Amino acid sequence: MKKPRLLIAMLVMLIAASGYAQDSYRQAAKDYLTAVGQFEKSMPFISTMSAMFESDGKVDIGQLTQRYLDERFEDDMVDFHIAAWKEQGLTEADLRELTSLVSTPEFKAFDDHFKAFMMDFASYMLEPLMELMQDVEQQLESGEYKYKESKYVSRMESPIQPNAEIDAVYAEKFNNVILNSPIMKVMKDAMFKRMDEGEGQSSIDEPTRKESQEKVKDWMTKSLPAMLLNNAYGNLTLEDLDYAAKLFANETYSKFQSFDASKADMESLKMKHAYTKYVEWMKEQGAKENEDPEAAMGFFKSLFELLNQDNDDMTPAE
């Protein structure tokens, strides 16, 4: 009888140890997300997404959204990042090292400048879309809709070039440090993958779609380095680039940034993301997604305004 009791005791100890390890990893994940301000960064985007639901008086969308933020948001955000980081093979020790790294004044200064750079880039990419949507909205209101070519198309007459005021030393350092960094590789891979998928173009015949896709990809491939450089200049300083070179040389940070989406279960990760969880939770509470095209316009307008507001709040690089 002693052996079964011993086995049961060992099993209980193993389960307890496993639970402790999971809780410990979860706490390390939460500590990192808190250190980089991820919760504060993501909350406004959740609030913006509330525009996707009908405000018909049956359900208080604002009140429900606040309930989600109060009751579920942090847990859903932590769950998603834990799933993603385990796909990357990040250990608890890695997360704790990263937390120490991102808690330094040097990192925080660099991160502020890098966020301003990426916000400028996002606004630059969204601006033509917003102008097109506003034109469509105005013409629909007047009852005289006419097709107007997007600025994306006019931009493709020739590749974007680096701004003339950017000196060669800055450009070379930016290209060596930032353009070839893991984080930029992940972003570029995601952009080109979306282009290859041709999402939202199913109404166009296949030969036309492929020709358009290839044109966009060719222009983007040639233009992206200059677009990124132009938006970085004035946000990232030479000192930031020197710090970034040291940061990206850190083995743990490099591992953290080098997420290989091709090897990850992206569908599973998408379903775990807090944004997806928010939509699911809202539907469970009786909220209905708004099918009105103007709701989509409202959402993109709010997103565009949020990006610009966040950028205005950034401390300019000196």
Side-chain angles (χ1 to χ4, degrees):
M1 294 295 292
K2 289 184 179 180
K3 286 186 178 179
R5 289 179 181 176
L6 179 60
L7 287 173
I8 291 170
M10 290 177 65
L11 182 60
V12 170
M13 289 172 66
L14 284 171
I15 292 172
S18 174
Y20 173 77
Q22 290 172 3
D23 287 345
S24 181
Y25 190 100
R26 187 177 188 80
Q27 187 59 51
K30 193 169 183 177
D31 289 344
Y32 173 80
L33 293 172
T34 300
V36 295
Q38 188 63 49
F39 298 123
E40 291 83 356
K41 293 175 196 172
S42 300
M43 274 188 181
F45 288 97
I46 293 287
S47 297
T48 299
M49 288 178 69
S50 65
M52 296 166 54
F53 294 96
E54 289 185 6
S55 297
D56 54 8
K58 296 178 181 178
V59 175
D60 189 326
I61 300 300
Q63 187 180 68
L64 272 183
T65 298
Q66 191 57 52
R67 264 190 61 200
Y68 175 81
L69 291 172
D70 292 340
E71 299 173 11
R72 294 280 302 274
F73 169 70
E74 282 199 9
D75 283 339
D76 285 345
M77 186 64 71
V78 172
D79 287 342
F80 165 73
H81 281 90
I82 285 176
W85 291 336
K86 286 188 174 181
E87 286 272 5
Q88 288 173 265
L90 285 173
T91 65
E92 181 183 332
D94 290 334
L95 289 177
R96 297 205 178 281
E97 181 183 348
L98 286 167
T99 301
S100 296
L101 184 67
V102 303
S103 298
T104 63
E106 293 82 6
F107 179 88
K108 290 185 181 297
F110 166 74
D111 191 47
D112 281 345
H113 296 169
F114 193 85
K115 282 189 291 186
F117 153 47
M118 293 309 296
M119 287 292 186
D120 271 354
F121 177 69
S123 296
Y124 177 82
M125 296 295 286
L126 275 175
E127 184 181 358
L129 176 62
M130 289 307 305
E131 287 199 8
L132 177 63
M133 291 179 72
Q134 287 168 359
D135 287 337
V136 170
E137 187 176 26
Q138 290 170 2
Q139 291 178 46
L140 286 174
E141 287 176 357
S142 67
E144 298 179 357
Y145 175 72
K146 293 179 182 179
Y147 172 76
K148 182 177 180 181
E149 193 174 69
S150 167
K151 276 189 179 181
Y152 280 120
V153 178
S154 62
R155 281 178 181 173
M156 291 178 203
E157 293 174 1
S158 59
I160 301 295
Q161 299 299 318
N163 292 340
E165 69 268 21
I166 302 176
D167 65 79
V169 173
Y170 184 96
E172 183 179 7
K173 187 168 286 193
F174 174 83
N175 291 337
N176 290 337
V177 176
I178 304 295
L179 197 60
N180 295 318
S181 67
I183 191 170
M184 286 294 119
K185 181 182 184 304
V186 170
M187 187 190 77
K188 288 184 285 186
D189 287 349
M191 289 177 63
F192 287 114
K193 182 180 179 183
R194 180 57 62 89
M195 289 180 193
D196 287 337
E197 290 171 350
E199 189 173 332
Q201 300 183 37
S202 57
S203 61
I204 303 175
D205 65 274
E206 189 62 16
T208 302
R209 185 184 71 80
K210 284 188 176 180
E211 183 181 350
S212 176
Q213 258 182 329
E214 290 306 313
K215 182 180 178 181
V216 172
K217 281 183 65 178
D218 180 65
W219 177 84
M220 184 64 76
T221 300
K222 294 174 181 176
S223 298
L224 191 58
M227 289 161 62
L228 289 166
L229 173 63
N230 293 343
N231 285 283
Y233 192 70
N235 286 316
L236 292 176
T237 65
L238 284 169
E239 290 76 16
D240 289 327
L241 298 179
D242 288 336
Y243 175 78
K246 295 177 183 177
L247 184 66
F248 297 157
N250 180 284
E251 186 177 347
T252 303
Y253 191 82
S254 179
K255 177 182 175 182
F256 177 69
Q257 295 292 341
S258 303
F259 181 64
D260 189 345
S262 66
K263 296 179 182 178
D265 183 356
M266 294 308 296
E267 288 306 313
S268 175
L269 288 178
K270 285 177 186 176
M271 294 307 294
K272 289 184 174 73
H273 201 287
Y275 301 152
T276 304
K277 293 292 186 181
Y278 163 71
V279 173
E280 290 176 352
W281 186 86
M282 290 290 283
K283 289 179 179 178
E284 289 170 3
Q285 311 309 310
K288 292 182 180 180
E289 285 188 271
N290 199 329
E291 309 250 339
D292 187 340
E294 289 190 9
M297 289 185 186
F299 168 66
F300 280 109
K301 281 181 183 177
S302 298
L303 180 60
F304 188 68
E305 288 168 5
L306 179 62
L307 288 172
N308 280 291
Q309 178 184 334
D310 284 349
N311 200 21
D312 291 341
D313 290 342
M314 300 289 183
T315 302
E318 296 178 358

